[in-house]
C-alpha cells in the first residue's frame, strides 16, 4: 500500500472508474472473471493508503453482486458458474470505480475539468461547489450525531435529517451569495486555484487502468 491514489489528479481517479466499467462487459467466463478481479484487487493493494475505505466499498458492492448473481442463477438456468461470473462482473463494474472516486479532491476537480477538458468554467466551478456541499453534509451528519450524544439525547435519524436539511439550505444560500458577490454569473475570464498538471504517475496509472480494462477483451480474443 503506497497511497498513490491520494496523489493523483481527479481526472485520473475518475478515469479508473470509467475504464473498469467499460471493460467489465467482456467478462463472460470464470477464468476471465478471476483474472480481472485479481488484477484490480492487486492494483488496489499497490495504490491505496489503507484497506479501511476499500473494505467499506466492498461491503456496499456485495449487495448488488449478490442480487445480480441470485437473479442470474434463478433466471439463467440455475447454473452456478454463470451466476458467479455475473457477480464477479458486477464487482469489476463497481468496486474499482467506487474506491478510486472516493479519493477525488472535489476542490481540485473544477480546476482540472476547466483546464484539462475545457469544460465551461461556470459549470466546472458550480459542480465543484456542489460536490463540496455533498462531502460537507457527511461531516455535518457526524457533528449532529456527536452533539446529540454529548447532550445525552438519543440518536434519532429523522430529527437529524431535518436538522441536516436546514443546515444544507443555509450553507447553500451562503455559497450562492458569496459566488454572486464575486461576479460568478457574469464573469467571462476566470482564474483557477492551481494549474492542472499531469505527472508521470498520473499518466502511468491511467495507462495501467486502460490496460487492465482491456485484459478481459484480450482473453476473449484468445478464446479463454
Amino acid at each position: 500500500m503506497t497511497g498513490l491514489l491520494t496523489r493523483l489528479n481527479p481526472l485520473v481517479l475518475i478515469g479508473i472508474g470509467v475504464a473498469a466499467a467499460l471493460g467489465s462487459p467482456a467478462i463472460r467466463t470464470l477464468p476471465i472473471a478471476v483474472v480481472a478481479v485479481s488484477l484490480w484487487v492487486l492494483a488496489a493493494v499497490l495504490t491505496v493508503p489503507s484497506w479501511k475505505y476499500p473494505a467499506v466499498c466492498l461491503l456496499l458492492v456485495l449487495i448488488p453482486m449478490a442480487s445480480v448473481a441470485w437473479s442470474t442463477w434463478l433466471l439463467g438456468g440455475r447454473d452456478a458458474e454463470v451466476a458467479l461470473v455475473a457477480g464477479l462482473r458486477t464487482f469489476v463494474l463497481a468496486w474499482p470505480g467506487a474506491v478510486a472516486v472516493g479519493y477525488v479532491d472535489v476542490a481540485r476537480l473544477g480546476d482540472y475539468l476547466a483546464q484539462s477538458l475545457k469544460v465551461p468554467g461556470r459549470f466546472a466551478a458550480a459542480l465543484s461547489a456542489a460536490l463540496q456541499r455533498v462531502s460537507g453534509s457527511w461531516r455535518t451528519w457526524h457533528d449532529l450525531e456527536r452533539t446529540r450524544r454529548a447532550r445525552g439525547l438519543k440518536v434519532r435519524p429523522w430529527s437529524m435529517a431535518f436538522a441536516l436539511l436546514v443546515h444544507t439550505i443555509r450553507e447553500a444560500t451562503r455559497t450562492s451569495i458569496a459566488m454572486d458577490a464575486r461576479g460568478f454569473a457574469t464573469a467571462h475570464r476566470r482564474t483557477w486555484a492551481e494549474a492542472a498538471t499531469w505527472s508521470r504517475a498520473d499518466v502511468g496509472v491511467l495507462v495501467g487502468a486502460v490496460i487492465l480494462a482491456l485484459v478481459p477483451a484480450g482473453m476473449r480474443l484468445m478464446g479463454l
Side-chain angles (χ1 to χ4, degrees), residues 73-151:
W73 179 81
L74 195 62
L75 303 174
R78 304 199 173 190
D79 188 318
E81 182 173 330
V82 174
L84 180 59
V85 171
L88 295 177
R89 186 190 306 125
T90 305
F91 174 87
V92 175
L93 172 69
W95 187 74
V99 173
V101 172
Y103 294 100
V104 170
D105 184 347
V106 294
R108 299 174 64 201
L109 179 60
D111 295 355
Y112 279 81
L113 285 175
Q115 297 177 68
S116 297
L117 299 184
K118 305 303 178 185
V119 172
R122 183 174 179 178
F123 173 80
L127 177 63
S128 180
L131 291 177
Q132 288 184 57
R133 295 276 69 80
V134 172
S135 59
S137 296
W138 183 248
R139 291 193 298 270
T140 302
W141 179 269
H142 284 287
D143 291 341
L144 290 171
E145 189 176 25
R146 285 197 296 267
T147 300
R148 290 187 68 88
R149 292 186 188 281
R151 291 178 177 176

Side-chain angles (χ1 to χ4, degrees), residues 9 82 111 159 198:
N9 82 53
V82 174
D111 295 355
S159 176
W198 286 69

Side-chain angles (χ1 to χ4, degrees), residues 10-21 40 100-101 206 209-210:
L11 297 184
V12 174
L13 297 173
I14 295 174
I16 293 172
V18 173
W40 282 111
V101 172
L206 188 58
V210 172

Side-chain angles (χ1 to χ4, degrees), residues 9-205:
N9 82 53
L11 297 184
V12 174
L13 297 173
I14 295 174
I16 293 172
V18 173
L22 293 179
S24 62
I27 299 174
R28 298 299 178 88
T29 64
L30 188 57
I32 296 177
V34 171
V35 170
V37 169
S38 301
L39 289 176
W40 282 111
V41 171
L42 177 61
V45 170
L46 295 176
T47 55
V48 296
S50 74
W51 262 112
K52 186 176 181 180
Y53 177 68
V56 172
C57 292
L58 178 60
L59 291 177
L60 296 176
V61 171
L62 284 177
I63 298 173
M65 283 179 62
S67 175
V68 170
W70 169 253
S71 58
T72 302
W73 179 81
L74 195 62
L75 303 174
R78 304 199 173 190
D79 188 318
E81 182 173 330
V82 174
L84 180 59
V85 171
L88 295 177
R89 186 190 306 125
T90 305
F91 174 87
V92 175
L93 172 69
W95 187 74
V99 173
V101 172
Y103 294 100
V104 170
D105 184 347
V106 294
R108 299 174 64 201
L109 179 60
D111 295 355
Y112 279 81
L113 285 175
Q115 297 177 68
S116 297
L117 299 184
K118 305 303 178 185
V119 172
R122 183 174 179 178
F123 173 80
L127 177 63
S128 180
L131 291 177
Q132 288 184 57
R133 295 276 69 80
V134 172
S135 59
S137 296
W138 183 248
R139 291 193 298 270
T140 302
W141 179 269
H142 284 287
D143 291 341
L144 290 171
E145 189 176 25
R146 285 197 296 267
T147 300
R148 290 187 68 88
R149 292 186 188 281
R151 291 178 177 176
L153 300 174
K154 293 183 179 179
V155 176
R156 298 183 184 278
W158 287 110
S159 176
M160 291 169 56
F162 180 74
L164 178 63
L165 176 63
V166 173
H167 177 81
T168 302
I169 294 175
R170 186 179 300 166
E171 288 296 312
T173 302
R174 289 176 180 170
T175 302
S176 176
I177 293 174
M179 295 173 77
D180 280 343
R182 290 163 174 78
F184 173 77
T186 58
H188 298 291
R189 297 184 59 189
R190 300 180 188 277
T191 58
W192 300 98
E194 61 180 79
T197 58
W198 286 69
S199 65
R200 292 182 178 177
D202 293 328
V203 177
V205 170

